[in-house]
Amino acid sequence: MQQDSNRTPRKILITGGAGFIGSNFVHHWCKSYPSDRVVVLDALTYAGNKLNLASLESNPNLKFVQGDICDRTLVDNLLESEDLDTVAHFAAESHVDRSILGPGAFVQTNVVGTFTLLEAFRQRWNKREQPQSDCFLHVSTDEVYGSLEADDPAFTETTPYTPNSPYSASKAGSDHLARAYFHTYGMPTIITNCSNNYGPYHFPEKLIPLMCINILLGKPLPVYGDGQNIRDWLFVEDHCRALDIVIHRGKPGETYNVGGNNEVKNIDLVKQLCELMDELAPDLPVRPAKKLITFVKDRAGHDRRYAIDASKIKRELGWTPQETVAGGLRRTVEWYLANRDWWQPLLSDEYKSYYQKVYSK
Ligand code: NAD
Ligand code: DAU
C-alpha cells in the first residue's frame, strides 16, 4: 500500500488480534505503518494463538495483552495509559457450529464484550474532546443479513437484518449497538460486514482448513447436507486492506459491505481443494483426495447462500479485492502444507471433543 506522507500516526487497539483475521490484520498494520503504536487485546480462547504473532515479538511498537474485552477496568486502563485513538474490534466467538452447541459465550463476548468496549471508548473519546478522526471500527459479518435464495440479489448495506444462528444474532446485536453509539452520541463508529474469509492462520474447525487438514491426515471430508450451499469467499489479505482503507477514509456512522465477488458451492470448493492437494502434496494417505468426500447430516438452520454487493466500498473508497479464488486457494493450501507445526498442536483434546460432538451425529 502506498504511504501517505501527511498521514497522522495512529495509536490502535486491535481486539482479537491473536485470532485468524485479527492476526492477519496486525501483520498488515505493523508492516504498513511501522511507526504506529499497536496494542493487541486478546483473551486467547481456544481460537486465539500467540504464535500467530510470533514473527512480531521483537517489534517495540507492538504490545500484547492477554485479557477479556468484557473486563471494563482493563479496557479503560489500556485506552487511557496508551492514549489510544482507534479501535479495530475483531474479538468474538466466531464459529456457527459452536454457537449451536452453546450460545452463551456468544452473547457474552459478542454482545456484552462489544458493549463494554463501546462504553469504554465513549468515556475516553469524551475525555479526548471528541475528535472525529478517532475511529471505532466494528468488524462484522454478512451472516447478519440472513440467507439468500439462488436468484436473490446480493446483500447491500440496506438489506434488512435477519440473523438465523445464535452466532449471527449475537453479531447483529453488536452491530446495532455500534450503530446506536454513532446515532446517539456522535461517536465515530464504522461497521463492516464481510463475507467468508480464508487464508493463513485460519483455525482448523472452519471449512477450508478443516478440509486441508483432513486430506493430509486421510480422514473423511464432512460436507454438510447436499453440499449446494454457497459462500462468497474473500482472501484475508484483501479484507485487511479493506479495513485499513475504511479506518483511514471511511465515513463515521457508515456501514460498508466487503466481499470477494466469488460465490462458490461448498462441494465445488471441496473438490478444488482435493485437486490442489493431489497436485501439491506428495505424501497423501488417500489419493485422489476426493475419495474422502462424505456427505453428513446438515448443520441446524444452515443458511443456503450468502453473497455480498461490495459496490459501495468500491465506489466511495476505491477498494476492490485483488486475489482470485484459484490463486488464494493455492496460496492457502501451500501455507497449510508448509506449516504443519502450526496446525498439528491445535488438534488438541478440546478440539477432538468438539469434533466428536459435531460430526458424530
Ligand atoms: P477467530 O475465532 O479466529 O478469532 C477470534 C479471536 O478473538 C481469538 O483470538 C480469541 O482468542 C479472541 N477472543 C474471543 N473472545 C474474546 C474475549 N472475550 N476477549 C478478548 N478476546 C477474545 O475469529 P475470526 O474468524 O478471525 O473473526 C474475527 C472477526 O471477524 C469476528 O468478529 C467475526 O465475527 C468477523 N468475521 C469473520 C469472518 C470469517 O470468515 N472468519 C467473516 C466476516 C466477519
Ligand atoms: O460469512 C461470514 C462468516 O463465515 C463469518 O461470520 C464466520 O465467523 C465464519 O466462521 C464463516 O461462517 P460459515 O458458517 O459460512 O463458515 P464455515 O467455515 O463454518 O462453513 C462454510 C460452509 O461450509 C458452510 O456452508 C458450512 C459448510 N461446512 C462447514 C464445515 C465446518 C461443511 O459442509 N462441513 C464442515 O465440516
Side-chain angles (χ1 to χ4, degrees), residues 12-19 22 26 38-44 53 62-76 78-79 84 87-92 113 116-117:
I12 183 168
L13 176 68
I14 302 179
T15 71
V26 173
V38 177
V39 178
V40 172
L41 173 60
D42 196 297
L44 295 182
L53 304 174
L62 175 68
K63 174 173 171 166
F64 180 86
V65 178
Q66 180 172 358
D68 193 328
I69 56 165
C70 301
D71 181 343
R72 176 68 194 268
T73 310
L74 172 65
V75 177
D76 279 344
L78 279 179
L79 290 177
L84 299 165
V87 172
H89 174 35
F90 296 88
T116 308
L117 283 173

Side-chain angles (χ1 to χ4, degrees), residues 11 19 33 63 94 156 158 214 224 244 262 285 312-313 348 361:
K11 292 183 232 162
Y33 310 109
K63 174 173 171 166
S94 71
T156 70
T158 56
N214 282 15
Y224 294 160
D244 177 335
N262 275 315
K312 177 177 171 182
I313 189 171
S348 61
K361 288 178 290 189

Side-chain angles (χ1 to χ4, degrees), residues 94-97 141-143 167 194-196 205-207 210-211 222-224 229 231 233 266 299 302 306 359:
S94 71
H95 191 35
V96 174
D97 291 316
T141 169
D142 59 359
E143 300 203 11
Y167 162 67
C194 187
S195 63
N196 286 63
E205 68 194 354
K206 304 284 173 70
L207 178 73
L210 185 143
M211 295 297 163
V223 176
Y224 294 160
N229 304 66
R231 296 294 181 265
W233 293 96
N266 289 345
R299 171 186 278 175
H302 195 175
Y306 303 141
Y359 296 99

Side-chain angles (χ1 to χ4, degrees), residues 184-229:
T184 305
Y185 305 114
M187 198 171 100
T189 62
I190 305 183
I191 301 169
T192 51
N193 294 93
C194 187
S195 63
N196 286 63
N197 283 219
Y198 67 103
Y201 303 118
H202 207 176
F203 191 81
E205 68 194 354
K206 304 284 173 70
L207 178 73
I208 289 180
L210 185 143
M211 295 297 163
C212 290
I213 290 168
N214 282 15
I215 294 170
L216 291 171
L217 298 177
K219 288 179 59 178
L221 307 179
V223 176
Y224 294 160
D226 61 5
Q228 300 296 308
N229 304 66

Side-chain angles (χ1 to χ4, degrees), residues 309-322:
D309 177 342
S311 52
K312 177 177 171 182
I313 189 171
K314 178 180 180 186
R315 191 176 59 248
E316 295 187 7
L317 304 180
W319 176 88
T320 49
Q322 289 177 353

